Amino acid sequence: MKSLNEQDSKIFDLLGKETNRQNLNLELIASENFTSKAVMEAQGSVLTNKYAEGYPGKRYYGGCEFVDVVEDIARDRAKKLYNADWVNVQPHSGASANAAVYLAFMKPGETLLGFDLSHGGHLTHGSHVNFSGIYFKPEFYGVEKETGRLDYDKIREKAKAVQPKMISIGASAYSRDYDYEAFRSIADEVGAYLWMDMAHTAGLIATGHLKSPLPHAHVVTTTTHKTLRGPRGGMILIGKDGENTLGVVAPKSGRVKNWSEVLDSAVFPGTQGGPLMHVIAAKAVAYGEALQPDFKDYQTQVIANAKAMADEFMAMGYDIVSGGTDNHLILIDLRNKGVTGKLAEEALGHAAITVNKNMVPFDTESPFVTSGIRIGSPAMTTRGFGEEEFRTVAKLIDRVIQDPENETVHAKVTQEVEALCEQFPLYDFITA
Ligand code: DSN
């Protein structure tokens, strides 16, 4: 068989270019990370060839004896990582995991109360352009203008007013932890299910740096590739599985089902076909890595780095939403700097610094322009950056934002970024 280079030099060259881009850029997108070589080896393995619809021991295909063991290892490691009663590792992505949750817990037209996308929430939590806002009735809670934080009394009032079937927690641009007890008491008061999408913070929750939602939420979903540092994919968990007292009944036996059964069916055959066994193998590897003591040290550094960067920005007069961070990201409101998120993202891109423009709470710009940028520490922390490097990063970003259209500044900052990156080597096994 031919190697990729022999078979398809165009794709090989593009992989080389992307490797160089990752090696020589400051990767600061809060939802990205760099997986280990071991994770990539598993993901690029022969398991991509295998169909395995069903679950271990109950497949619709022969030849599943090895992939059954792989999926069992992934499930066991994930349960250990989160102290969970049950897990499903088959969702192809976070959005797929969330689709299964809707199928299990909601009927079309019922009300979801979710974190407003324009305040940091996620597309799949009721946005009008997403299936969640098209098939269900979305209502939203958001952060307070003065504090940039959630006000649980206001969320309670909102829940009482809209009587949701389900309340979702979780965001892609919220830098504070959640009060899960408060959310659960709100859900109980209005008879709603509570769902936490911990995609962004899954790694920080696994190591105990942030509180775990599992004892409080009926169901938890996540992606596996952000702070958790695995392959791209999704997962669903239940902290305490038990009888479904709210009444999903098995059609034939009349037996009340556990949530785990309902959710397994919602993933397959409800919303997906064959699982991606090569990705499940890579998830198993990543969970194994996350169970090692050094993963905890990594997450300690992720938070320390985000805090150091937030402090440095605030010292330079930047407006950090909520005044700081408890996790891996900061959201900067650039309005006092006279630069939009779009311009900042583009200018930083010219200086080998990758961030994304982001709406800030009560934004006055459209989602295509925005007034802010979101910056995360997970990827560069994986490369070995500490607080000192992150303070340097904040200063480099400031130089570009002060003069966003100056090509000389772009070129000079690019040189400094490359010099910094070269001190912290990343991948050396695909080259252009
Ligand atoms: N789009 C991802 C993010 O960047 O936060 C969330 O799915």
Side-chain angles (χ1 to χ4, degrees), residues 334-384:
L334 291 169
R335 283 179 284 200
N336 69 348
K337 297 285 174 183
V339 175
T340 64
K342 183 170 187 283
L343 179 57
E345 179 191 301
E346 285 167 2
L348 291 165
H350 292 309
I353 300 174
T354 312
V355 303
N356 65 278
K357 61 177 179 282
N358 213 100
M359 298 284 277
V360 295
F362 308 97
D363 210 324
T364 39
E365 299 284 353
S366 78
F368 299 103
V369 178
T370 81
S371 296
I373 51 172
R374 184 185 67 163
I375 307 183
S377 61
M380 296 314 292
T381 305
T382 294
R383 278 187 85 150

Side-chain angles (χ1 to χ4, degrees), residues 161-173:
V162 303
Q163 293 291 312
K165 179 76 175 289
M166 184 160 70
I167 298 174
S168 68
I169 323 172
S172 44

Side-chain angles (χ1 to χ4, degrees), residues 29 31 122 172 200 223 226 356 374:
I29 291 183
S31 48
H122 191 255
S172 44
H200 261 265
T223 52
K226 298 186 175 94
N356 65 278
R374 184 185 67 163

Side-chain angles (χ1 to χ4, degrees), residues 343-353 396-418:
L343 179 57
E345 179 191 301
E346 285 167 2
L348 291 165
H350 292 309
I353 300 174
L396 290 171
I397 290 174
D398 175 57
R399 274 162 58 194
V400 176
I401 286 177
Q402 294 288 348
D403 203 355
E405 278 154 328
N406 186 331
E407 291 177 10
T408 310
V409 172
H410 298 165
K412 183 76 188 54
V413 171
T414 300
Q415 274 180 359
E416 291 179 45
V417 166
E418 291 187 357

Side-chain angles (χ1 to χ4, degrees), residues 250-272:
K252 285 189 187 148
S253 64
R255 186 176 59 80
V256 176
K257 291 181 173 183
N258 281 0
W259 283 118
S260 52
E261 297 170 83
V262 179
L263 283 160
D264 269 342
S265 304
V267 174
F268 172 81
T271 50
Q272 290 190 173

Side-chain angles (χ1 to χ4, degrees), residues 258-325:
N258 281 0
W259 283 118
S260 52
E261 297 170 83
V262 179
L263 283 160
D264 269 342
S265 304
V267 174
F268 172 81
T271 50
Q272 290 190 173
L276 308 176
M277 293 313 307
H278 55 305
V279 180
I280 290 173
K283 287 173 183 171
V285 174
Y287 303 153
E289 290 174 358
L291 285 164
Q292 303 305 311
D294 62 354
F295 192 68
K296 194 164 191 168
D297 301 337
Y298 162 67
Q299 300 295 353
T300 303
Q301 196 62 52
V302 163
I303 294 181
N305 287 347
K307 282 185 191 298
M309 191 166 47
D311 289 346
E312 194 67 37
F313 274 118
M314 288 190 289
M316 292 187 290
Y318 283 82
D319 180 4
I320 305 291
V321 174
S322 88
T325 182

